Amino acid sequence: MMFLTQRDGLAPLGWLRDEMDRLFECVTPQGDGFVAPLTLHETESAFEARIAVAGADPEKLEIGVEGNVLHVAGEREGMPDDAQRRFTAERFAGHFERALELPAAVAADEVQAHYRDGILTVTLPKAAEARPRRITVQV
Amino acid sequence: MTTTIERRESKPARTTANLPTVTPRADVWETAEAAHLAIELPGVPKDGLDLSIESDRLTLTATSKDVTPDGRELRAEWRPTRYQRTFLLTEDADKSGIEAALRHGLLAIRIPRRAEKRPRSIPVSVATD
């Protein structure tokens, strides 16, 4: 009897929670709340993105380029199941993803990625039409 | 001579001293045998990490490697950082058995519990007639 009463009492809260979930989904489309911080540099011929994903499993890192958008996704392990007492839980675990729109077209076939010390470096050469060209003046 | 000094001063010196110091994110948990710490240190190579124990304090200091690429900076959501954090150890900790491993920017520390402090199950002998 007590159990049923509790369930009924919580029903409106359940509705509110679903609404909140939906709201946060709109604000943070990145999955479990981890927005991998990145830096982006541009030279005449390429972009270089460096994404800080400390602890991400290199086997599960996924990098894709679609048009001029770079997509990065991966997984990070959290505390193990046998953790009996959890004192501090500040890290984000689970699936994460991030998309970055680049200001110019890139050559998707020539994109290179390198993972070291928890930093994923992605080099994206610009598409030929996006590189600065020198125009010879005909005399 | 004056010119040299001016030049040196006008160049932003990227030394450890003037990097911002931040507290790295960590998970801390216990099992029956040990306490575990998982600390995020993105960009920190093995030689940029210093772990020390003084009395009951375990202190880590780490510096991420500055590999700022060439070109124009369009976005900078993180920068080379100096990390520092101190953890207090209780008397249960076996300081001589601490292990640490740095992998993919995540520092894993295992602090074993002193054998006499571990929970023990006491075997119960059943009396038979």
Side-chain angles (χ1 to χ4, degrees):
Chain A
M1 186 62 194
M2 188 62 197
F3 183 66
L4 276 174
T5 315
Q6 271 192 3
R7 278 187 68 155
D8 289 342
L10 284 174
L13 281 180
W15 166 82
L16 183 65
R17 194 193 53 216
D18 292 347
E19 281 295 296
M20 291 297 276
D21 285 350
R22 260 182 346 111
L23 183 70
F24 283 110
E25 259 170 39
C26 299
V27 183
T28 53
Q30 330 288 347
D32 296 320
F34 172 61
V35 181
L38 57 84
T39 66
L40 182 65
H41 284 76
E42 179 185 18
T43 63
E44 278 196 1
S45 58
F47 295 104
E48 188 172 312
R50 291 182 304 150
I51 306 130
V53 289
D57 182 351
E59 302 280 312
K60 290 178 184 164
L61 279 175
E62 285 172 32
I63 299 140
V65 176
E66 214 181 310
N68 60 340
V69 179
L70 166 69
H71 293 273
V72 174
E75 296 279 337
R76 301 206 300 179
E77 257 186 48
M79 286 187 252
D81 294 337
D82 69 341
Q84 289 163 358
R85 296 173 66 192
R86 297 167 186 226
F87 295 100
T88 309
E90 298 163 352
R91 301 182 55 235
F92 289 106
H95 179 81
F96 64 86
E97 51 185 87
R98 176 107 202 233
L100 174 69
E101 192 177 340
L102 300 159
V106 294
D109 300 343
E110 297 167 36
V111 172
Q112 288 190 336
H114 181 73
Y115 186 49
R116 192 189 170 90
D117 300 330
I119 306 284
L120 175 67
T121 303
V122 186
T123 309
L124 308 113
K126 289 182 187 172
E129 67 269 20
R131 293 182 194 187
R133 282 184 303 148
R134 285 215 167 74
I135 295 147
T136 316
V137 179
Q138 307 254 333
V139 182
Chain B
M1 188 68 191
T2 320
T3 325
T4 317
I5 292 167
E6 276 173 4
R7 264 193 205 154
R8 285 180 69 174
E9 284 181 346
S10 66
K11 222 177 176 182
R14 270 281 178 75
T15 59
T16 314
N18 61 14
L19 285 180
T21 300
V22 302
T23 304
R25 280 181 189 277
D27 280 354
V28 182
W29 71 96
E30 264 188 19
T31 62
E33 293 81 31
H36 296 265
L37 293 88
I39 305 156
E40 289 182 6
L41 303 170
V44 175
K46 207 175 157 190
D47 59 8
L49 172 68
D50 183 66
L51 265 180
S52 65
I53 300 177
E54 202 186 323
S55 144
D56 60 348
R57 286 164 177 267
L58 172 70
T59 301
L60 86 86
T61 310
T63 310
S64 59
K65 204 173 164 190
D66 185 0
V67 281
T68 308
D70 297 334
R72 197 158 61 98
E73 184 181 87
L74 301 181
R75 262 183 200 238
E77 296 169 358
W78 62 272
R79 288 187 185 281
T81 308
R82 187 170 176 271
Y83 299 97
Q84 192 166 36
R85 191 153 183 180
T86 299
F87 298 90
L88 284 175
L89 304 175
T90 65
E91 58 171 25
D92 291 10
D94 173 9
K95 290 178 203 164
S96 61
I98 296 178
E99 293 166 13
L102 182 63
R103 196 173 144 80
H104 306 313
L106 188 71
L107 175 66
I109 302 177
R110 183 181 183 274
I111 307 165
R113 195 188 287 263
R114 277 160 57 190
E116 65 270 27
K117 298 283 185 182
R118 290 181 196 172
R120 281 185 305 147
S121 55
I122 296 149
V124 179
S125 58
V126 180
T128 47
D129 294 328

